[in-house]
Every structure is written in structure tokens, then in C-alpha cells.
Amino acid sequence: MSTPDTDQGLLVRLAKSMVNERAAYIGRERSKEAKQYRLSQDMLLQATKAIGKSGDVDLILSAEAGFLKNDARFYSNSPSMRSSLAAALTELGQAQKMLPLVKDPDLYLAIDASHGNAKSRIGGVPRDAARQFFQSHNARLLNADKSRLTDTEKQILDARRHNIRVAALAYTAQQEQALGVGLVAQVRERVLSM
């Protein structure tokens, strides 16, 4: 059984270790390599934001696939991280398969029919594989933002989350167009205004 003196000594040792780690971190951040790293991160952030501004669902999903593959190849350092990235890539692949279907109203009507249950619908349109990916991946990126990251790394995650929200909104609009949901609402408004 430990004594209070031993416990206090361990806490002091931990506190000193934290101070030493912070000093080493600050020193590392001032190196030439750190400056190059920050510059590359700034370029990555700007490219990510430009992709989001396009509003192109295909482009946004392709970019996110690139991020996920890059993370899996170079940064996955635990079984749980590898598993999470593999799941994200699988979900993203399923979402990408929905894109040509939602662009064809006749094909998308079959998808709509398979989502008749109220729990599998959001706002009158199916909660299909793409909508599920947008929701789960947004949560995944939000959780990643809670780890130790630089300010720029957090901004990149925020830009990726923004892009996922842009893609989700654009995709929902495509769903509504394929199913005529917006048209039904417009007709209803015209009838009520007469």
C-alpha cells in the first residue's frame, strides 16, 4: 500500500515531467523543420477550404477519402485507430455509391421506397448510406478534434467538418430534387396562397 508521501512524490514527478515536456514542445516548435511543417499545414488548410467552397459532393468525398487513406497509411498507430479508419473508408465507399443513384430520379425512387420506415428518414428524404456517412463522419472528426493537436491541425479538422456539412446539405438538395420533395412544397405553398 502506498503512503501519502509516496503518492505526493509521484505527483511532483508527474508535474515536473509535464513542465519538461512543455519546454521540449516549445523548443521543437521553433525549429526550422517545425516552421516547414506549419507552412505545409497552412497549404493543406487552404486546399481543404477551397474544396469546401466548391460545394461539389463528389470532390468533397474524394478529398475526404484522400485524408482517410493518408491517415491510415502514415498515422494510424493503434488497432482502434486502424479499425476506425477502415470503418470510415467503408462507409465513405457506400456513400460514394449513392451519388450516381441520387442523380437519377427513377433509380432514386427505388431507394426512397426501401426507406419507408419513419426512423430511416430525415426531413422527408431517406437516411441512406450517404446521409449516414455524413452524420457518423462528422462525429468522428469532432472526436478527433479533442486530442492534442496544433492550432492549424484543429483548423484543418474544422475545415473538413465544414466540408462534410456542405456535402450533406448539397446531397440533401439532390435527394429532394430526385424525389420532387421541393416541388411538392412549392405547389402546396401556391395552392395555400390562392
Side-chain angles (χ1 to χ4, degrees), residues 66-77:
F67 272 110
L68 293 170
K69 289 174 184 174
N70 189 61
D71 285 352
R73 183 172 181 202
F74 297 113
Y75 302 107
S76 63
N77 55 12

Side-chain angles (χ1 to χ4, degrees), residues 1 10 18 34 48-49 63 98 108 114 173 181 190:
M1 181 173 216
L10 290 173
M18 287 179 180
T48 304
K49 286 181 175 182
M98 295 303 301
Y108 203 71
S114 70
V181 172
R190 286 183 192 158

Side-chain angles (χ1 to χ4, degrees), residues 45-193:
L45 175 60
Q46 296 311 313
T48 304
K49 286 181 175 182
I51 287 169
K53 287 179 184 176
S54 75
D56 184 325
V57 178
D58 294 301
L59 179 62
I60 291 169
L61 290 182
S62 294
E64 196 56 35
F67 272 110
L68 293 170
K69 289 174 184 174
N70 189 61
D71 285 352
R73 183 172 181 202
F74 297 113
Y75 302 107
S76 63
N77 55 12
S78 70
S80 62
M81 186 175 185
R82 284 187 286 278
S83 175
S84 177
L85 290 169
L89 282 164
T90 299
E91 291 173 13
L92 188 140
Q94 295 300 315
Q96 287 176 314
K97 288 179 183 175
M98 295 303 301
L99 298 181
L101 300 177
V102 77
K103 292 175 185 172
D104 183 333
D106 294 329
L107 286 175
Y108 203 71
L109 282 173
I111 303 293
D112 183 52
S114 70
H115 289 77
N117 185 334
K119 291 183 180 182
S120 65
R121 302 182 75 76
I122 299 173
V125 294
R127 185 175 182 269
D128 60 20
R131 297 282 297 275
Q132 290 176 39
F133 169 75
F134 296 135
Q135 184 177 7
S136 65
H137 198 58
N138 185 54
R140 192 178 289 115
L141 291 172
L142 182 61
N143 288 335
D145 193 19
K146 295 176 182 170
S147 63
R148 279 188 179 191
L149 300 170
T150 66
D151 288 341
T152 307
E153 288 168 334
K154 288 185 182 215
Q155 290 174 2
I156 292 168
L157 279 174
D158 286 344
R160 288 173 65 192
R161 285 186 64 226
H162 171 78
N163 290 358
I164 293 298
R165 286 190 301 273
V166 167
L169 290 172
Y171 184 80
T172 301
Q174 290 175 349
Q175 285 181 299
E176 290 173 348
Q177 183 177 4
L179 299 173
V181 172
L183 296 176
V184 170
Q186 289 174 4
V187 169
R188 188 179 312 126
E189 283 180 33
R190 286 183 192 158
V191 169
L192 291 174
S193 67

